[in-house]
Amino acid sequence: MAIDDPRLRELEEKNALLETRVKHLTNDLHLTREENEASLVRYLDIHTNLEKKVAERTAELARTNQTLQNEILERRRAETRLQQSQKMKAIGTLAGGIAHDFNNILAAIMGYTEMSLMDTDEASSVHRRLTNVLKATNRAKELIHQILTFSRQNDPEIRPMAPLPIIKETIKMMRASLPATVEIRQRIPASSAMIMADPDHIHQILMNLCTNASQAMAKNGGTLELRMTEVDFDTETAHRDQDLLPGKYLKLTVADTGRGMDRAELEQIFDPYFTTKQTVDGDGSGLGLSVVHGIIHSHGGTIAVNSELGTGTTVDVFFPIIEPAKTDPAAVKTPIPLGRERILFVDDEQALADVGLQMLQRLGYHVVPRTSSVEALEAFRAHPDRFDLVVTDQTMPNMTGTELAREIHRIRPDIPIILCTGFSEKFPGELGPGIGIDDFLFKPIALRDFADTIRRVLDQPHISMTS
Amino acid sequence: MNAENDRPAAMDAIFEQLDQSDIASIKGVVSGVLQIISDPTSTAKNLKEIVEIDPPLTARVLFLANSAHYAPRIKILDIMQAIIFVGFDAIKELALSQKVANIFQNGATVGGYSSEALWKHCLATALFTKMIYRREFRERGDNAYACGLLHDIGIIALQQFMPEVFYRILKTAEAENIALTAAEKAALGFDHADLGRAITEYWNFPEDIVQAIGAHHAPGQDPSRLAQTLFIADTVTRGNELGYESRPAVEKALFQTCLNELNINHQAVALVLADVQKEIANMETQGMLSYGNR
């Protein structure tokens, strides 16, 4: 039964509209929820990507940071090295200064001792004792020379030399400084083999190697062995083993039974400032093997180190042997040459002026001593013809020896001049040509050197100076 | 299926110009977005890449994403931000509509027709189709939206590639009070629905879109749901001042058949239409109907 009521139809229409509206909203809501879920997945995806990027950047930063840390560490090491080398330089300068003064003291000791020796009977016990004083003085002179060599870093004087005496000398020195727990064994055959080297360097190398060896045995003691052998490398061996030119080599071996080194340490031993000792500030042993390495290679030689942890270390050093030169047959005892010429002797140190005066007088010369270059110049200017020779110190206040020489030559160009220098001063050859010096003497001056040089200069055919 | 062989020879003049035209310029972005729609696993990054490849489009999308319509909480500076703050689906629709809007520019006003009016109609059809899908079928309706935007691409092609012929057809249709499609068929042997099908098929767009566009004036034998929905949307929007043709030559019977087959009552049509009108009005106020990038 259909009821056709417009109000009912209107209500039905409204109802249908509302129902549709509800359906629409429900569906929309459902889809929106789905979409939101999908969005969430996408955001998570974006988030993951971002996190990945953050992780990547963090890792990159960590790497950069590590690099930086390494650089800082490297920088600190370099700073330590720089400080160390500055300290070494300061010590060198200080040592040089002390050595210079000490050298002058030695000159006086040597001079008086030599004169005393001449005054005493060779058979007497006093003579024997004085001879020992002179020997000790000579050793002191060597020591001073070493200190000055170290502080001056002078150019090496590479010349043909027989290393045997130096090696013996070094062993003697080492023996004194080694602890009682270290035994020294040496197999050094008598050899006249000659090598091209600076004696100071050979000494330095051996000291260094022996010091290392004894330090390696400091804790438990052991045996320090020194060997010297001659080896002949044929082409193959030379190249394979040591990268050397074929030929004859002098092989010096320093072996210890100390703590030894592991592979990692062995790889670093030629690095500057490497040490197996605990580095306590101020205990830096310095350049060590790096310098040894450099010296040996500059001599055309090489160095080989073998070591085993707990067993010991063996260092082999090779120097090319040169054909033995004819040994100088001179230098045998000839009487000390004397003379009666008039000498102007200048040294600003009273003690040295005194000893010089007495030495020259003993040699028979007439001496006018002066303790200042200005006074010496005045004395010369007053009577230029009264002198046959001028012997002057180099380092003096107001006027140096070379300046004095120039002034004296201005007055009398033909007067011969001998210049005395200490080790710490400039090498005479560095003073330049044409300075008008006839010869040089190195302080402390031995009596024989003094006598020989003076005689040689006075006896040479004199060439008039025109400068 | 070989599209070129099935194509009427009369379209040759249009296809000769197509590849070099402005219309072809939308192909890349549109097919990219369609691909994202069809792939449920697509990510925000995929969408971002498709939009950012087109700098003018990117600028336009960012401009609109920052407008009062979406009212983001922060200033959006790139597409990824837009996706996060405005929403993946909103940006997808924006990219699509703004790209398609590019080709609805210039052209003369003839009678009730202008390209501006046509664009408004396409947008309304897209919204209508989508809303039906969502509300009646409980489906996302992304393809439906794209389909609505593109359904009259044939008209744009006619207007651009043979403007004189097209304007003459418009006048004829008006003077004789016949449907535009009828006038087109009489003059060319094909109508803009045929042309739209041919173009989208040539571009390898999804088959359901191609067929729906081809059938949007006559969902004939065994029509797809998309084709029927599009037909309803096109019909309704044109009948309610959301179109270029104020006199829809609607076959009422066909329209009712489609509604019946889709099980859509007239209340639903009324509700959706009201929402579409509201949305279009809102977009008009926001200036979102002004064209493309220029």
Side-chain angles (χ1 to χ4, degrees):
Chain A
M1 183 176 58
I3 304 161
D4 196 17
D5 185 340
R7 277 177 51 218
L8 187 61
R9 248 189 290 144
E10 196 183 316
L11 276 174
E12 274 173 353
E13 174 67 26
K14 269 194 177 166
N15 188 38
L17 200 64
L18 276 172
E19 270 175 15
T20 312
R21 183 82 181 140
V22 168
K23 182 176 95 180
H24 282 187
L25 287 174
T26 311
N27 287 343
D28 235 357
L29 203 67
H30 177 82
L31 284 170
T32 307
R33 208 181 63 205
E34 262 182 24
E35 279 160 2
N36 284 346
E37 276 164 15
S39 290
L40 190 65
V41 171
R42 281 193 198 92
Y43 294 159
L44 283 176
D45 185 53
I46 294 168
H47 182 73
T48 314
N49 273 335
L50 275 173
E51 289 221 314
K52 212 191 290 174
K53 260 184 205 164
V54 168
E56 275 165 22
R57 287 297 297 272
T58 311
E60 200 184 305
L61 272 170
R63 274 197 301 278
T64 317
N65 193 31
Q66 186 56 51
T67 317
L68 242 135
Q69 292 284 353
N70 289 347
E71 264 165 31
I72 289 170
L73 213 66
E74 186 53 45
R75 222 192 164 86
R76 279 209 195 115
R77 277 198 209 115
E79 271 167 20
T80 314
R81 266 179 232 156
L82 185 66
Q83 279 169 7
Q84 181 75 10
S85 90
Q86 277 169 347
K87 197 157 65 185
M88 300 278 279
K89 203 175 155 190
I91 292 169
T93 311
L94 183 69
I98 293 168
H100 180 77
D101 289 340
F102 195 70
N103 208 33
N104 285 340
I105 296 166
L106 274 182
I109 296 172
M110 250 173 95
Y112 286 117
T113 309
E114 282 186 314
M115 281 184 289
S116 305
L117 271 171
M118 292 171 87
D119 288 343
T120 50
D121 183 358
E122 282 191 31
S124 68
S125 57
V126 174
H127 189 93
R128 205 176 61 246
R129 286 174 202 140
L130 283 174
T131 309
N132 283 337
V133 170
L134 198 60
K135 270 187 197 162
T137 317
N138 270 322
R139 282 228 296 281
K141 183 177 143 186
E142 288 294 316
L143 194 64
I144 291 294
H145 193 175
Q146 278 170 26
I147 294 169
L148 288 166
T149 306
F150 167 75
S151 67
R152 267 179 71 194
Q153 308 270 311
N154 56 350
D155 292 334
E157 189 199 336
I158 295 179
R159 57 178 174 79
M161 59 161 288
L164 191 63
I166 300 261
I167 294 166
K168 295 251 179 204
E169 179 70 26
T170 308
I171 294 171
K172 245 183 261 169
M173 280 182 74
M174 275 309 295
R175 201 183 284 280
S177 65
L178 283 180
T181 51
V182 173
E183 183 197 344
I184 295 192
R185 228 179 265 163
Q186 42 175 316
R187 281 188 219 156
I188 315 283
S191 162
S192 59
M194 299 283 280
I195 60 172
M196 284 297 285
D198 183 327
D200 287 338
H201 283 163
I202 299 302
H203 180 76
Q204 204 180 331
I205 289 166
L206 278 171
M207 284 298 284
N208 198 309
L209 295 180
C210 290
T211 308
N212 286 348
S214 79
Q215 278 164 355
M217 297 185 286
K219 206 173 168 192
N220 298 318
T223 309
L224 170 65
E225 187 171 322
L226 284 118
R227 289 191 294 268
M228 188 175 91
T229 43
E230 284 175 34
V231 289
D232 203 344
F233 282 139
D234 59 29
T235 322
E236 213 180 304
T237 335
H239 273 284
R240 193 187 58 221
D241 291 352
Q242 315 290 3
D243 197 22
L244 291 173
L245 295 172
K248 278 190 172 181
Y249 284 85
L250 189 75
K251 177 180 170 187
L252 286 172
T253 305
V254 178
D256 67 60
T257 57
R259 64 183 285 274
M261 286 175 286
D262 61 24
R263 178 165 291 276
E265 286 178 317
L266 209 51
E267 274 167 12
Q268 294 181 70
I269 52 170
F270 294 120
D271 293 350
Y273 300 104
F274 168 77
T275 178
T276 57
K277 288 165 285 183
Q278 293 295 319
T279 13
V280 181
D281 192 46
D283 190 30
S285 60
L287 297 160
L289 280 182
S290 70
V291 164
V292 171
H293 185 264
I295 291 172
I296 292 168
H297 276 265
S298 72
H299 285 72
T302 194
I303 180 168
V305 182
N306 289 299
S307 188
E308 208 173 299
L309 203 59
T311 308
T313 305
T314 303
V315 184
D316 293 319
V317 178
F318 298 88
F319 286 102
I321 291 175
I322 56 163
E323 286 309 306
K326 291 270 175 284
T327 36
D328 193 8
V332 270
K333 268 200 176 170
T334 48
I336 290 180
L338 307 172
R340 302 191 61 78
E341 281 89 346
R342 291 156 302 177
I343 298 174
L344 175 60
F345 184 77
V346 197
D347 197 310
D348 62 319
E349 260 183 73
Q350 190 64 51
L352 293 192
D354 286 349
V355 74
L357 169 68
Q358 292 185 40
M359 281 165 93
L360 290 173
Q361 279 173 344
R362 181 167 288 276
L363 293 170
Y365 297 103
H366 295 285
V367 185
V368 176
R370 284 292 180 274
T371 50
S372 111
S373 44
V374 181
E375 283 173 34
L377 186 59
E378 273 168 21
F380 189 80
R381 203 193 302 277
H383 307 283
D385 295 325
R386 246 191 226 174
F387 297 104
D388 299 305
L389 175 70
V390 176
V391 177
T392 176
D393 188 22
Q394 164 64 1
T395 313
M396 289 181 291
N398 300 326
M399 196 190 288
T400 64
T402 36
E403 283 165 354
L404 177 64
R406 202 177 302 126
E407 291 302 316
I408 284 173
H409 275 148
R410 209 166 275 168
I411 298 160
R412 208 188 123 187
D414 64 333
I415 181 94
I417 297 173
I418 294 174
L419 191 70
C420 303
T421 77
F423 287 110
S424 65
E425 292 149 26
K426 276 192 172 179
F427 190 74
E430 297 169 39
L431 292 172
I435 53 165
I437 302 298
D438 293 80
D439 214 330
F440 299 92
L441 280 166
F442 295 101
K443 293 198 284 187
I445 305 158
L447 187 65
R448 168 167 287 279
D449 287 347
F450 213 177
D452 286 347
T453 308
I454 288 168
R455 204 60 258 154
R456 192 165 63 242
V457 169
L458 284 172
D459 291 347
Q460 75 185 351
H462 204 80
I463 301 152
S464 175
M465 300 281 176
T466 47
S467 60
Chain B
M1 174 190 293
N2 193 324
E4 283 181 47
N5 286 352
D6 294 344
R7 188 194 297 152
M11 287 183 194
D12 285 354
I14 288 165
F15 274 83
E16 272 166 24
Q17 304 172 65
L18 182 63
D19 285 347
Q20 269 73 50
S21 68
D22 279 354
I23 294 173
S25 72
I26 69 167
K27 186 200 163 197
V29 172
V30 172
S31 59
V33 176
L34 289 175
Q35 215 164 338
I36 284 178
I37 290 167
S38 67
D39 180 3
T41 65
S42 55
T43 63
K45 194 160 163 273
N46 299 138
L47 178 60
K48 167 184 172 283
E49 279 164 4
I50 281 164
V51 178
E52 280 184 348
I53 209 165
D54 187 334
L57 175 65
T58 302
R60 180 71 187 162
V61 169
L62 290 180
F63 171 74
L64 293 177
N66 280 303
S67 71
H69 186 74
Y70 296 105
R73 283 182 286 112
I74 60 159
K75 170 103 175 134
I76 291 165
L77 299 171
D78 64 34
I79 295 296
M80 194 49 111
Q81 268 186 314
I83 292 167
I84 292 167
F85 290 102
V86 174
F88 183 78
D89 298 298
I91 295 305
K92 196 168 62 190
E93 264 178 28
L94 209 48
L96 204 57
S97 67
Q98 291 308 310
K99 193 65 202 175
V100 175
N102 264 351
I103 59 172
F104 289 82
Q105 294 176 55
N106 57 54
T109 303
V110 176
Y113 175 85
S114 70
S115 53
E116 286 89 343
L118 182 60
W119 173 234
K120 190 168 151 186
H121 163 68
C122 287
L123 209 50
T125 308
L127 287 170
F128 198 104
T129 320
K130 184 183 83 170
M131 283 183 193
I132 292 290
Y133 258 74
R134 289 177 71 88
R135 295 174 183 184
E136 287 295 317
F137 311 147
R138 203 188 260 209
E139 282 175 29
R140 300 283 309 274
D142 290 327
N143 263 357
Y145 181 81
C147 197
L149 282 181
L150 292 164
H151 79 280
D152 273 342
I153 195 167
I155 294 180
I156 288 297
L158 285 176
Q159 182 213 305
Q160 292 211 352
F161 299 138
M162 41 178 66
E164 281 147 36
V165 177
F166 176 66
Y167 293 133
R168 206 168 57 233
I169 290 169
L170 272 178
K171 279 175 192 151
T172 309
E174 206 163 341
E176 297 179 9
N177 198 16
I178 53 168
L180 181 61
T181 44
E184 284 165 345
K185 270 233 157 70
L188 299 165
F190 60 88
D191 63 22
H192 68 262
D194 298 328
L195 184 55
R197 185 206 335 252
I199 290 171
T200 49
E201 185 169 46
Y202 176 67
W203 284 346
N204 285 321
F205 282 2
E207 186 61 24
D208 57 341
I209 292 180
V210 173
Q211 293 311 327
I213 288 173
H216 78 265
H217 282 290
Q221 294 295 301
D222 197 14
S224 70
R225 195 173 59 176
L226 183 57
Q228 286 181 317
T229 312
L230 183 60
F231 170 74
I232 292 167
D234 184 50
T235 307
V236 172
T237 49
R238 278 196 290 144
N240 290 280
E241 295 181 348
L242 288 170
Y244 57 93
E245 212 181 352
S246 52
R247 286 182 310 283
V250 177
E251 287 182 44
K252 295 249 174 170
L254 184 56
F255 181 70
Q256 195 54 53
T257 308
C258 284
L259 283 181
N260 290 346
E261 281 180 21
L262 294 177
N263 197 21
I264 298 172
N265 56 29
H266 68 270
Q267 286 93 346
V269 173
L271 284 168
V272 169
L273 177 64
D275 280 352
V276 169
Q277 280 170 326
K278 215 193 298 172
E279 179 90 15
I280 292 287
N282 184 21
M283 286 172 90
E284 246 167 346
T285 348
Q286 301 289 338
M288 290 180 71
L289 286 186
S290 61
Y291 298 97
N293 306 320
R294 276 162 232 180

